Amino acid sequence: MSSSPFYVQRAPYAEDPARSLGRRFKEEESRTRTPFARDRDRIIHTSAFRRLKEKTQVFVAHEGDNFRTRLTHSLEVAQVARSLATALGLDSDLAETIALGHDIGHPPFGHAGEDELQSCMKAYGGFDHNVQTFRVVTELERRYPDFNGLNLTWETLEGIIKHNGPVTEKLGKPSWKAISKYDSEYKLGLNTWASAEAQVAALADDIAYNNHDIDDGVEAGLFTLDELMDVPLIGPILAAVRSERPDLDPRLTRLEAVRRMIGAMVDDVMGETLQRAAATGVQSAQDVRALDHALVAFSPDMAEDLARLRQFLHARMYRHWRVNRTRSQARRILAEMFNLFLAEPDVLPSEWFARSQNRDEAGRARVVCDYIAGMTDRFAIEEHRKLFQLDVWN
């Protein structure tokens, strides 16, 4: 048998789709797909997933066609998650599914949009993009006659809401009220770690955005390759590429360095995870949940290097004056729309106006928030223009 990762033996602590805890609402099983693969397909076919194509990762969608959006980011996370799960002997369908779904609750304009909706909703129960993602897949998407949401498997729902670890300390926050209510009716084990596959999806997110923010940052001219030479992890890799391939132009040098950095991070996660699995002796998916720490993780040295890399990106990219200017514009757009819709709900589209009726102020605010959170960057800009600029017809 080949030693290629494609032939890795299934890990004893991998999730088994044949033993899934099932769905909240009973359905016949698919004849052609595992339950986790079916979940993946349901997420891909949602309106929320399609709208990610014009939602900000760092740069607003209209700033250029080559920058990542939430959709391309989610696809890159899913690719890393599937490859890493396969190499570790885990269920790659489940890891890919959680990776594809992890960002579909993000509002327009990235973190600026989330910050503004948190501010707008402070008096009305708050806003959290992870909770919004969960609400999208359990409530807001309406595609089936017998239930709201997508009726995903227990394992996928668990992974979406707690891929970063136990969430019990968050349940007291007003923005997490929806999760507490759902858990009271359908237990998700919120006090434990999620499956190894969910943890893989979380690490794949870190791998994707750290590498691709470097790529986008250089592409946008926010910093140069030379300025990366002293940054941990990417600096030594970049120096090696330049030494080995001095003939490469700056673009190919950048892409090769990013490719190698992804490989280095994946290898590090694999090594650390296999070491932890051996040390803890986990033999089942439930053993993974019973641990008091993550099974899938970066090594301490890699985690330290990544922390320093993020410091660089925070200073030179996420808080760059050009990005700050866009963040400021985006927050004003969302704040002005939120206040108008809350004061005058009859200017909402008919479906959303109907949802806002017969509710108290907090309930109406939640409907307004859901409407805005579902917008793409481009739609939000256009909707704001229609609301606040008078069109004069001849």
Side-chain angles (χ1 to χ4, degrees), residues 295-315:
L295 175 69
V296 183
F298 293 117
S299 68
D301 287 345
M302 179 63 73
E304 182 178 347
D305 283 349
L306 285 175
R308 294 174 62 190
L309 172 59
R310 291 189 192 104
Q311 289 176 353
F312 175 87
L313 290 172
H314 191 273

Side-chain angles (χ1 to χ4, degrees), residues 56-341:
T56 294
Q57 182 65 17
V58 174
F59 298 98
V60 175
H62 73 276
E63 293 183 284
D65 292 335
N66 292 324
F67 300 126
R68 268 79 180 182
T69 65
R70 285 285 170 193
L71 179 60
T72 57
H73 167 70
S74 294
L75 294 173
E76 290 170 342
V77 175
Q79 178 270 313
V80 174
R82 187 173 189 92
S83 297
L84 184 52
T86 299
L88 289 170
L90 303 174
D91 190 281
S92 56
D93 284 336
L94 179 58
E96 180 184 31
T97 297
I98 295 167
L100 287 170
H102 82 284
D103 264 357
I104 61 175
H106 260 289
F109 307 125
H111 291 294
E114 180 172 16
D115 290 345
E116 188 55 43
L117 286 183
Q118 287 173 345
S119 177
C120 290
M121 290 296 293
K122 187 174 182 179
Y124 306 112
F127 178 83
D128 182 289
H129 81 267
N130 288 314
V131 175
Q132 192 72 7
T133 292
F134 191 86
R135 292 183 62 241
V136 167
V137 300
T138 59
E139 176 186 353
L140 297 178
E141 277 286 333
R142 298 181 179 179
R143 307 181 62 83
Y144 302 94
D146 296 327
F147 47 79
N148 291 335
L150 307 181
N151 199 30
L152 302 175
T153 60
W154 186 94
E155 292 79 7
T156 297
L157 289 179
E158 178 211 35
I160 284 176
I161 199 56
K162 59 173 187 169
H163 52 274
N164 288 317
V167 296
T168 45
E169 79 283 356
K170 298 179 180 180
L171 297 180
K173 297 181 179 179
S175 59
W176 279 69
K177 183 178 179 180
I179 304 302
S180 296
K181 182 177 184 302
Y182 195 93
D183 185 64
S184 70
E185 301 167 354
Y186 188 68
K187 295 295 183 184
L188 292 171
L190 300 179
N191 62 328
T192 71
W193 288 86
S195 64
E197 287 81 0
Q199 296 178 41
V200 161
L203 270 291
D205 187 24
D206 288 345
I207 292 170
Y209 81 71
N210 278 294
N211 283 276
H212 298 139
D213 283 356
I214 289 174
D215 191 19
D216 281 353
V218 175
E219 176 78 13
L222 302 185
F223 47 84
T224 66
L225 291 180
D226 287 341
E227 291 174 297
L228 290 169
M229 292 298 290
D230 294 327
V231 178
L233 190 59
I234 185 61
I237 290 174
L238 186 57
V241 173
R242 283 177 161 177
S243 175
E244 296 168 19
R245 297 297 304 271
D247 57 309
L248 293 182
D249 63 36
R251 176 179 173 275
L252 285 178
T253 297
R254 179 184 87 234
L255 294 175
E256 176 64 12
V258 167
R259 184 185 70 80
R260 292 188 187 187
M261 195 166 91
I262 292 173
M265 293 173 73
V266 167
D267 287 346
D268 182 85
V269 171
M270 286 184 60
E272 181 69 15
T273 300
L274 293 174
Q275 182 178 341
R276 291 186 179 204
T280 58
V282 288
Q283 290 297 311
S284 69
Q286 289 310 310
D287 286 348
V288 174
R289 293 184 175 89
L291 294 176
D292 62 359
H293 59 274
L295 175 69
V296 183
F298 293 117
S299 68
D301 287 345
M302 179 63 73
E304 182 178 347
D305 283 349
L306 285 175
R308 294 174 62 190
L309 172 59
R310 291 189 192 104
Q311 289 176 353
F312 175 87
L313 290 172
H314 191 273
R316 298 300 305 277
M317 185 174 186
Y318 309 143
R319 292 300 178 184
H320 191 280
W321 69 266
R322 284 167 50 194
V323 176
N324 284 343
R325 182 172 291 182
T326 302
R327 285 173 57 88
S328 176
Q329 292 171 328
R331 292 193 66 158
R332 288 197 303 275
I333 287 173
L334 297 194
E336 289 174 0
M337 284 198 297
F338 182 90
N339 291 331
L340 177 63
F341 288 140

Side-chain angles (χ1 to χ4, degrees), residues 41-55 71 104 136 140-143 150 374-376:
D41 297 346
R42 288 186 172 189
I43 287 171
I44 289 173
H45 286 283
T46 61
S47 300
F49 186 76
R50 290 195 298 275
R51 289 195 295 268
L52 294 180
K53 71 183 184 345
E54 287 193 354
K55 289 195 177 190
L71 179 60
I104 61 175
V136 167
L140 297 178
E141 277 286 333
R142 298 181 179 179
R143 307 181 62 83
L150 307 181
M375 294 179 178
T376 63

